[in-house]
């Protein structure tokens, strides 16, 4: 459901922030929006993830974000395979 997807996306922000903060040490001006295309199976597993667009211009960080998304579990539901675009903004604190 869209609520489940939103909740899991919110919980992923903490993991993505850790990755971002590490990259920020090397580039203090690193910021921007990353849009991910994610395919979620009925089992809740992510079967596909790619970056649709990114303002970060940091391939290493972008790859880590995609790899982390594959570890996400959206929870099994009686639904069809779902494809969603999820935006993740990255800004220094």
């Amino acid at each position: 459901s869209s609520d489940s997807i939103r909740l899991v996306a919110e919980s992923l922000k903490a993991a993505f922030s850790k990755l971002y903060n590490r990259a920020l040490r090397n580039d203090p001006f690193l910021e921007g929006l990353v849009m991910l295309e994610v395919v979620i199976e009925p089992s809740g597993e992510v079967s596909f993830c790619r970056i649709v667009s990114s303002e970060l211009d940091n391939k290493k960080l972008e790859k880590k974000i995609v790899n982390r998304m594959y570890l996400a579990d959206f929870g099994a539901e009686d639904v069809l395979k779902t494809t969603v675009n999820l935006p993740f903004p990255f800004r220094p604190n």
Side-chain angles (χ1 to χ4, degrees):
S1 71
S2 59
D3 286 339
S4 297
I5 292 170
R6 194 174 320 110
L7 286 172
V8 173
E10 283 296 319
S11 71
L12 285 168
K13 284 184 181 180
F16 289 167
S17 286
K18 286 181 184 176
L19 296 172
Y20 171 68
N21 286 330
R22 277 190 222 127
L24 202 55
R25 292 180 200 148
N26 296 328
D27 181 358
F29 300 104
L30 184 65
E31 69 175 273
L33 180 73
V34 174
M35 180 69 72
L36 297 178
E37 178 184 39
V38 181
V39 177
I40 305 165
E41 298 294 326
S43 66
E45 293 177 293
V46 173
S47 61
F48 179 78
C49 177
R50 73 178 178 102
I51 293 180
V52 176
S53 64
S54 174
E55 298 171 346
L56 294 179
D57 193 29
N58 185 316
K59 298 296 179 201
K60 188 175 177 182
L61 175 58
E62 292 164 359
K63 183 176 180 175
K64 288 179 180 181
I65 290 169
V66 168
N67 288 341
R68 179 59 186 87
M69 180 56 80
Y70 276 107
L71 299 176
D73 183 359
F74 286 85
E77 291 191 25
D78 189 19
V79 294
L80 298 174
K81 183 186 325 190
T82 305
T83 301
V84 294
N85 285 347
L86 300 172
F88 291 95
F90 294 93
R91 309 244 181 291
N93 294 337

